[in-house]
């Protein structure tokens, strides 16, 4: 049974990249989605590939609140209110799919703003109430919940259930650790100061292409956060082969790529 479970986890890790890259076309990541006018629904209505929620554990037992800063917690919704409940309702409405008559799924990237222990345990407890919605071993079209932020140590990734995977932060993982990683996310500003206007400087482009090559060599899609958020930047990153386009403008970015397809 243990060998079977490990095989399923490895298969899941491989399929996350293959399925996303080939079945969903251009991948768009709604960065800090909870700060949108209508969190979740704006990105969902555009069928975006990835939606980000930052969460804090609080002093109230099992409570997780969605906010970028601790100072905003007094007005913050719970994770259930902002994301889990709407997602579960839509999956039930669509017979176990994210969108009706669609074989696409999306990533819910959860950035832990408080320590993984015990924040991650509380999160897993909440997600486990709905395995048909959040566990890809139970439902191949389930939401992929990817953990970022205050992740546990790399060597413990394999100990967590299939209901979550992890956001990679470097390229030096073991094969076992890689089986639990869904994507590689790096800080664009460590490699370039480009503002998204004009051409990306040649030296910066070389460095970023090396990151793309390294990530793809591991079989993982790459996302660069903190990157310029303009149509010119989206086009540049798309042409370079960056998989997830990071944006705070989910509707505009989706419309931009739809326009490219329709030309």
């Amino acid at each position: 049974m243990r060998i079977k479970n490990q095989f399923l986890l490895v298969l899941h890790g491989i399929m996350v990249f293959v399925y996303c890259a080939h079945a969903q076309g251009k991948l768009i990541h709604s960065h800090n989605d909870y700060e949108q006018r209508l969190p979740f629904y704006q990105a969902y209505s555009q069928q975006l590939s990835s939606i980000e929620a930052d969460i804090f554990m609080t002093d109230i037992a099992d409570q997780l609140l969605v906010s970028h800063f601790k100072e905003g917690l007094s007005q913050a919704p719970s994770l259930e209110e902002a994301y889990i409940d709407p997602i579960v309702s839509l999956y039930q409405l669509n017979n176990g799919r994210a969108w009706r008559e669609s074989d696409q799924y999306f990533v819910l990237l959860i950035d832990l703003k408080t320590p993984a222990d015990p924040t991650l345990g509380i999160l897993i407890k909440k997600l486990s109430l709905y395995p048909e919605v959040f566990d890809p071993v139970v439902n191949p079209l389930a939401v992929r919940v990817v953990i970022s932020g205050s992740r546990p140590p790399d060597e413990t990734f394999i100990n967590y259930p299939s209901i979550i995977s992890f956001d990679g932060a470097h390229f030096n993982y073991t094969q076992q650790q890689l089986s639990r990683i869904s994507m590689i996310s790096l800080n664009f500003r460590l490699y370039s100061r480009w503002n998204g206007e004009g051409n990306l400087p040649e030296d910066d482009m070389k460095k970023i292409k090396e990151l793309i090559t390294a990530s793809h060599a591991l079989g993982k899609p790459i996302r660069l956060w903190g990157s310029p958020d303009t149509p010119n930047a989206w086009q540049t990153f798309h042409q370079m082969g960056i998989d997830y386009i990071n944006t705070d403008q989910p509707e505009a970015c989706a419309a931009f790529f739809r326009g490219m397809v329709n030309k």
Side-chain angles (χ1 to χ4, degrees):
M1 180 63 70
R2 183 177 179 183
I3 293 174
K4 179 181 178 182
N5 287 341
Q6 288 185 348
F7 171 75
L8 288 172
L9 291 174
V10 171
L11 181 63
H12 163 57
I14 295 171
M15 288 184 68
V16 165
F17 176 64
V18 174
Y19 186 93
C20 279
H22 295 288
Q24 290 188 223
K26 176 44 59 187
L27 308 179
I28 301 174
H29 174 80
S30 182
H31 177 250
N32 291 348
D33 179 81
Y34 48 89
E35 294 184 340
Q36 296 297 323
R37 300 185 315 278
L38 193 60
F40 174 66
Y41 291 102
Q42 284 176 251
Y44 173 81
S45 68
Q46 301 298 317
Q47 296 194 30
L48 296 201
S49 304
S50 182
I51 299 172
E52 180 178 341
D54 294 2
I55 64 169
F56 285 81
M57 180 186 67
T58 73
D59 293 333
I60 299 175
D62 288 349
Q63 184 182 62
L64 299 175
L65 297 182
V66 179
S67 178
H68 192 61
F69 298 108
K70 188 174 183 179
E71 292 74 19
L73 292 181
S74 62
Q75 303 296 321
S78 69
L79 182 62
E80 288 90 341
E81 292 170 331
Y83 291 94
I84 292 179
D85 290 349
I87 290 171
V88 169
S89 294
L90 286 162
Y91 261 75
Q92 291 172 344
L93 181 66
N94 296 328
N95 297 316
R97 298 169 182 263
W99 296 279
R100 191 169 299 174
E101 299 181 0
S102 172
D103 288 336
Q104 294 183 20
Y105 63 82
F106 64 90
V107 168
L108 178 62
L109 188 143
I110 296 185
D111 190 328
L112 306 184
K113 294 297 186 181
T114 44
D117 184 15
T119 310
L120 191 50
I122 297 171
L123 174 61
I124 291 171
K125 180 179 177 181
K126 293 179 183 297
L127 298 174
S128 296
L129 295 173
Y130 311 101
E132 70 283 0
V133 177
F134 296 107
D135 191 340
V137 172
V138 175
N139 176 6
L141 299 180
V143 176
R144 270 46 171 185
V145 178
V146 178
I147 305 303
S148 191
S150 298
R151 284 152 288 200
D154 299 349
E155 60 270 18
T156 68
F157 286 178
I158 198 67
N159 299 331
Y160 288 89
S162 58
I163 208 160
I164 63 167
S165 56
F166 296 92
D167 187 23
H170 56 80
F171 301 117
N172 298 316
Y173 296 103
T174 66
Q175 285 300 312
Q176 189 178 55
Q177 292 161 9
L178 277 172
S179 73
R180 301 308 314 280
I181 290 174
S182 289
M183 66 177 77
I184 303 292
S185 296
L186 302 172
N187 183 356
F188 177 83
R189 293 302 170 192
L190 294 178
Y191 307 96
S192 176
R193 294 294 174 182
W194 184 52
N195 66 1
E197 301 300 329
N199 294 324
L200 176 64
E202 187 173 338
D203 288 346
D204 294 358
M205 180 175 290
K206 181 180 178 181
K207 287 185 285 186
I208 293 169
K209 283 185 175 179
E210 289 174 352
L211 300 177
I212 297 169
T213 298
S215 187
H216 289 176
L218 298 178
K220 303 299 174 182
I222 189 168
R223 176 177 70 96
L224 298 180
W225 55 272
S227 55
D229 198 13
T230 66
N232 184 55
W234 303 335
Q235 170 82 339
T236 299
F237 296 149
H238 169 66
Q239 291 176 337
M240 292 178 67
I242 291 175
D243 303 285
Y244 282 94
I245 303 298
N246 196 77
T247 184
D248 293 310
Q249 307 172 71
E251 292 165 316
C253 189
F256 175 79
F257 284 107
R258 278 198 303 273
M260 287 181 57
V261 170
N262 294 330
K263 285 182 179 179

